[in-house]
Amino acid sequence: MKLGIPHFGNVSVSIKAIAQQLGATDSLIIPPPMTQKTLNLGVKYSPYEACLPYKLTLGSLIETCELGANTLAQARGSGICRLGYYAKNQEQILRDLGYSAKFLTIDISHNKLISVLRLIKNLANDASWYEISSAFFFGISKLFALDKIEKVVQEIRAVELEKGTANKIYHEAIRNIDEATKRKEVKDITKEYIERLNHVEKNNKAHPLKVGIVGEIYVVIEPFANMDIEEELGKLGVEVERTMTLSRWVKYSLFLNYLGADEWRKVHHLAKPYIDHDVGGDGWESVGEKILFAHKGFDGIVHLAPFTCMPEIVAQNVMPSTREDIPVLAVICDEQQGKQGLLTRLEAFVDLLEFRRRKNGRRIYNTR
Amino acid sequence: MSKVGIPRALLYYQYYPVWRSFFEHLGAEVVTSPPTNRTILTAGISRAVADTCLPVKVFLGHTMSLIGKCDYIFIPSMTSFGKKTYNCSKIIGLPNITRAVLPECPIILDPNIDLEKGRWYFYHQIYKLASRFTSNSVKMKKAIDVAWQKQLAYRKKMSDEKITSNQALFDLYGSSHSASSQKNPQGNLTIALLGHPYITNDEYLNHRIIYHLQNMGANVLTSEMAPQTAIDAAATRAVGETHWAFEPDIIGAGQYYTEMKVDGIITLSAFGCGPDSMMIVWVEHRAKETKTPFLPLSLDEHSSGGAMLTRLEAFLDMIKRKGTKLPTPTPAYC
């Protein structure tokens, strides 16, 4: 078996680690990093009205198929947006293209943990459950480490004197963590890089603007899909925060939610006056997070959504009516977007935030 | 007597009889917005976020035309109609969108119809809705029973008589529901028109496509004209487990009509429709396999009737010429 996975944030780092631990590196094909070619492939073979995550994952899967993958992993589920349909549709498209790949689907609406473990079991040629679970924990420890470093990077980017230093260190950290083979090593690398990041020369007087990033999970997490929006905001001297990370998804969706924790309890509660039940995808969370960020005293919100994303359109319609009037920049991601256009909008948005801060000072909402 | 407004858009075409009879049995008066027109469309477009799809914009326009004419507006959140089948996010969040975009709207009645959550949740939602009008639970029960029978009869009427929702509503409620298309025309071609009932029946949005097709000598079959059980089964045959509530209407009807060997398939969707973007690919694939002529049409606020007519004519000409042998073209130069 040769398993191919679509590119999504740092998922490939963790899957690669799992395969290495189980001695199944040969049966895993790491997707090449996303480039314009990936997008072009995806756009060419997708239905024209499909959303950006569909096109990007399809492009990524075609690339892994070209590298010889014969089994592909993709998400599936009900009660969510189009995502539930991706696997069915992409399988047909790949078959028409002449790739005879089988799909292994991960059910992300119901039995999440079981289907993830089943995927690993398939990858590992029936290794014992003990080996699988230890490899799995090692794999996700890399995700947690990377997200921990990224959080520091998001802070440093805004205040570093020489722009781009934090980013360089972050990419080096990804490489090093990718190569680590023991949990201890991962821990040491994380510590080392956080230390290095904290020692980057920075402007200590700066009091950076804070912007929260909300929206659809794929375009929020995958930097290629949102044209490195976090990095660009960092260059403009803005500190970025996002709640949606892969490690959070793993932590809650795969473990804590089964134990009765509710990942989005507070966010849903805040969104209640405007949306009182799930609308699929991340629409409900986007509205709640906007309010949460406003309460935390953020200066603005960037709302990322793929073009024609149904849940995010609901969120976009509802957002202006919330009581907390915090500026929201809606960025619609699709294959037609150009980076310069985005940069101009970001600059204008940052100017607006600065002006607002000078005028109002920091406004903190009553959280009650 | 309190007045309940029902906007003539989206799920109206599928569920109007059940809603109307339910409210009438509870002693309320039902007010319906007029058929879609330019004013309604522009009003809707002016309020919603640009990316919102055309049917939702039209829905908002209809709701605006009801403001001031009723005490309540009925906008249910139709989440799920069965195990693991859900509606589009925009339909689930419809009361929320309306409340946010039209703050001047009267009280919105928004029961959450989510059969995935079980029977008791459903009963509770209906009870909450009905208790605004009466406290007599026997009356409520009776209203629900009568309404549901009405709905079943309505669905059966459409599939038995092979008529569209518009025609069935005209038969049931008369004048305000007129349809330009005729019943059971005797054309020499059979065309399946696949799309959501709220697009195939809204004659302003679809530029009277059924009427024009009939004028060109085609019998038009829509998803309402097939028995519900048949299209449900066809959808399961085509894709296995269904995922969306309208899958039978598009994929199911597509499968059903290709098996019936219709002469051509036309799909009608709104630009930016999420479910359609995935489902129409299936129908197209199926049409390719069975070599059925296929024409996908997409509507938005800028589409014009003239351009559509040209495409329909060309499509029907192509079907008519299919099979007849054309003379071999003489080379331009020898």
Side-chain angles (χ1 to χ4, degrees):
Chain A
M1 186 183 83
K2 292 250 180 217
L3 178 74
I5 51 166
H7 194 89
F8 179 24
N10 295 322
V11 162
S12 53
V13 172
S14 117
I15 299 267
K16 191 177 158 195
I18 293 171
Q20 257 166 8
Q21 289 285 303
L22 295 166
T25 331
D26 294 341
S27 51
L28 177 74
I29 289 180
I30 304 291
M34 283 216 181
T35 55
Q36 189 61 38
K37 189 188 152 217
T38 322
L39 181 60
N40 290 350
L41 274 175
V43 170
K44 189 170 173 190
Y45 298 113
S46 305
Y48 76 104
E49 275 178 2
C51 49
L52 187 67
Y54 180 96
K55 291 174 178 168
L56 284 175
T57 47
L58 180 67
S60 192
L61 287 177
I62 292 176
E63 282 184 330
T64 55
C65 278
E66 278 168 1
L67 293 174
N70 58 16
T71 313
L72 302 171
Q74 181 58 282
R76 162 180 71 92
S78 57
I80 36 182
C81 57
R82 263 176 277 197
L83 180 56
Y85 233 76
Y86 279 19
K88 277 185 192 174
N89 235 320
Q90 290 178 339
E91 191 171 7
Q92 202 177 51
I93 290 172
L94 288 171
R95 212 184 306 130
D96 289 350
L97 285 176
Y99 299 111
S100 56
K102 204 178 82 195
F103 265 72
L104 268 181
T105 50
I106 303 170
D107 189 342
I108 54 165
S109 61
H110 291 89
N111 311 309
K112 295 171 200 163
L113 181 60
I114 292 170
S115 50
V116 169
L117 289 178
R118 199 177 291 141
L119 181 81
I120 299 169
K121 182 109 176 156
N122 267 316
L123 180 68
N125 298 323
D126 292 320
S128 75
W129 282 112
Y130 172 73
E131 282 172 304
I132 287 177
S133 63
S134 69
F136 179 60
F137 280 110
F138 175 65
I140 61 176
S141 77
K142 286 194 174 181
L143 272 189
F144 278 88
L146 285 173
D147 281 339
K148 205 169 165 188
I149 298 175
E150 194 178 21
K151 214 164 171 64
V152 183
V153 172
Q154 286 167 345
E155 284 166 26
I156 301 296
R157 266 183 198 145
V159 288
E160 64 192 358
L161 281 180
E162 193 188 327
K163 292 291 172 199
T165 326
N167 231 29
K168 220 182 274 166
I169 297 176
Y170 178 48
H171 287 295
E172 211 180 303
I174 297 180
R175 261 201 310 283
N176 276 333
I177 286 189
D178 193 22
E179 280 159 15
T181 50
K182 286 196 192 71
R183 264 179 109 161
K184 177 89 176 42
E185 245 175 275
V186 175
K187 243 182 195 163
D188 290 344
I189 293 171
T190 317
K191 214 183 232 170
E192 184 199 323
Y193 276 94
I194 289 180
E195 193 81 341
R196 267 181 68 183
L197 281 167
N198 285 332
H199 283 95
V200 167
E201 266 190 277
K202 50 192 172 232
N203 178 3
N204 286 325
K205 278 187 214 137
H207 186 49
L209 290 167
K210 284 183 101 178
V211 164
I213 294 203
V214 303
E216 196 273 340
I217 188 162
Y218 192 91
V219 293
V220 165
I221 289 179
E222 176 56 50
F224 181 78
N226 59 34
M227 316 210 91
D228 300 312
I229 199 165
E230 291 184 16
E231 198 187 320
E232 296 302 337
L233 280 170
K235 278 187 199 158
L236 295 171
V238 176
E239 190 181 321
V240 168
E241 189 177 317
R242 65 176 149 90
T243 352
M244 223 173 264
T245 55
L246 279 168
S247 54
R248 184 185 163 97
W249 188 84
V250 168
K251 184 172 160 191
Y252 282 96
S253 290
L254 297 187
F255 299 106
L256 293 183
N257 283 355
Y258 286 106
L259 302 174
D262 188 356
E263 181 181 5
W264 298 107
R265 207 176 74 96
K266 194 170 176 195
V267 170
H268 287 167
H269 178 74
L270 288 171
K272 270 272 155 71
Y274 313 104
I275 297 186
D276 50 1
H277 51 83
D278 195 3
V279 294
D282 306 303
W284 198 10
E285 287 81 12
S286 292
V287 175
E289 273 188 289
K290 176 198 168 186
I291 302 168
L292 188 66
F293 278 130
H295 286 172
K296 280 184 187 165
F298 274 60
D299 296 284
I301 304 287
V302 172
H303 180 203
L304 293 169
F307 182 53
T308 72
C309 176
M310 300 113 72
E312 297 305 325
I313 286 176
V314 176
Q316 258 188 53
N317 272 309
V318 171
M319 264 190 196
S321 72
T322 59
R323 197 165 59 92
E324 294 77 3
D325 58 333
I326 168 171
V328 177
L329 176 71
V331 177
I332 309 293
C333 306
D334 77 345
E335 70 269 18
Q336 310 285 348
Q337 69 185 349
K339 189 144 186 179
Q340 283 308 320
L342 178 69
L343 290 184
T344 316
R345 293 185 64 192
L346 286 183
E347 276 168 23
F349 184 62
V350 171
D351 281 349
L352 173 114
L353 297 185
E354 264 167 13
F355 178 74
R356 238 175 95 94
R357 186 188 264 189
R358 268 207 303 276
K359 201 172 145 214
N360 299 343
R362 234 183 218 205
R363 187 184 295 178
I364 310 257
Y365 289 93
N366 186 359
T367 39
R368 230 166 14 98
Chain B
M1 198 155 73
S2 50
K3 285 184 179 170
V4 178
I6 298 183
R8 189 190 296 251
L10 291 179
L11 300 179
Y12 166 89
Y13 295 99
Q14 275 160 295
Y15 298 103
Y16 181 62
V18 62
W19 293 344
R20 175 166 168 155
S21 118
F22 177 69
F23 287 118
E24 281 180 351
H25 274 85
L26 291 176
E29 190 188 329
V30 172
V31 188
T32 321
S33 57
T36 315
N37 53 39
R38 184 91 229 157
T39 330
I40 286 179
L41 182 62
T42 31
I45 291 170
S46 69
R47 299 297 280 270
V49 168
D51 279 354
T52 318
C53 63
L54 186 60
V56 172
K57 286 177 179 164
V58 169
F59 180 88
L60 292 171
H62 278 283
T63 313
M64 283 163 81
S65 77
L66 282 172
I67 291 173
K69 292 182 190 149
C70 51
D71 312 316
Y72 301 105
I73 291 193
F74 180 60
I75 308 177
S77 162
M78 306 289 252
T79 309
S80 150
F81 300 147
K83 268 271 167 266
K84 290 192 181 179
T85 49
Y86 285 83
N87 244 323
C88 165
S89 303
K90 285 175 227 163
I91 293 180
I92 300 175
L94 205 55
N96 309 112
I97 294 182
T98 316
R99 207 170 280 136
V101 175
L102 308 173
E104 72 271 30
C105 202
I107 302 170
I108 293 178
L109 303 177
D110 60 341
N112 183 9
I113 309 299
D114 190 350
L115 298 185
E116 176 83 26
K117 286 190 181 161
R119 269 164 56 190
W120 291 109
Y121 183 78
F122 174 70
Y123 292 155
H124 176 70
Q125 291 291 325
I126 297 292
Y127 178 79
K128 228 169 65 181
L129 171 68
S131 51
R132 271 185 193 271
F133 302 96
T134 176
S135 53
N136 182 347
S137 43
V138 179
K139 207 171 161 189
M140 281 182 208
K141 175 82 173 67
K142 190 147 178 271
I144 294 168
D145 288 345
V146 174
W148 186 241
Q149 287 310 319
K150 262 247 153 86
Q151 174 67 17
L152 293 178
Y154 170 63
R155 187 68 186 83
K156 194 158 173 297
K157 181 183 167 66
M158 289 192 289
S159 59
D160 285 355
E161 296 176 24
K162 300 237 175 297
I163 51 177
T164 61
S165 301
N166 256 338
Q167 289 162 346
L169 288 171
F170 177 72
D171 287 353
L172 291 171
Y173 303 108
S175 61
S176 74
H177 303 81
S178 66
S180 59
S181 51
Q182 358 161 352
K183 288 179 192 170
N184 302 313
Q186 295 305 317
N188 41 10
L189 285 176
T190 319
I191 302 289
L193 178 71
L194 306 178
H196 299 285
Y198 52 77
I199 295 178
T200 55
N201 285 300
D202 192 324
E203 295 200 324
Y204 184 80
L205 284 191
N206 63 29
H207 310 293
R208 299 197 293 165
I209 186 170
I210 300 181
Y211 168 79
H212 288 305
L213 280 170
Q214 285 177 345
N215 271 1
M216 293 174 198
N219 279 340
V220 181
L221 294 174
T222 61
S223 61
E224 302 111 302
M225 298 181 191
Q228 188 68 43
T229 43
I231 53 174
D232 282 347
T236 321
R237 265 203 307 284
V239 290
E241 208 174 69
T242 54
H243 175 78
W244 272 308
F246 350 86
E247 240 163 294
D249 281 337
I250 314 240
I251 295 184
Q255 175 84 8
Y256 180 75
Y257 287 131
T258 41
E259 281 168 7
M260 262 177 59
K261 298 215 170 10
V262 289
D263 297 311
I265 295 179
I266 298 177
T267 59
L268 198 60
S269 65
F271 177 74
C273 179
D276 273 3
S277 68
M278 304 270 123
M279 293 193 289
I280 284 177
V281 185
W282 275 90
V283 180
E284 189 176 358
H285 204 262
R286 192 75 199 110
K288 230 181 238 170
E289 277 171 10
T290 54
K291 297 208 165 58
T292 315
F294 176 77
L295 174 72
L297 290 176
S298 161
L299 299 169
D300 63 7
E301 46 272 57
H302 312 296
S303 60
S304 76
M308 188 153 98
L309 269 181
T310 317
R311 298 191 65 190
L312 291 180
E313 273 170 13
F315 182 65
L316 291 184
D317 283 350
M318 182 194 78
I319 296 174
K320 282 174 195 156
R321 280 185 203 162
K322 201 179 138 196
T324 58
K325 240 198 160 109
L326 290 174
T328 3
T330 36
Y333 52 91
C334 301

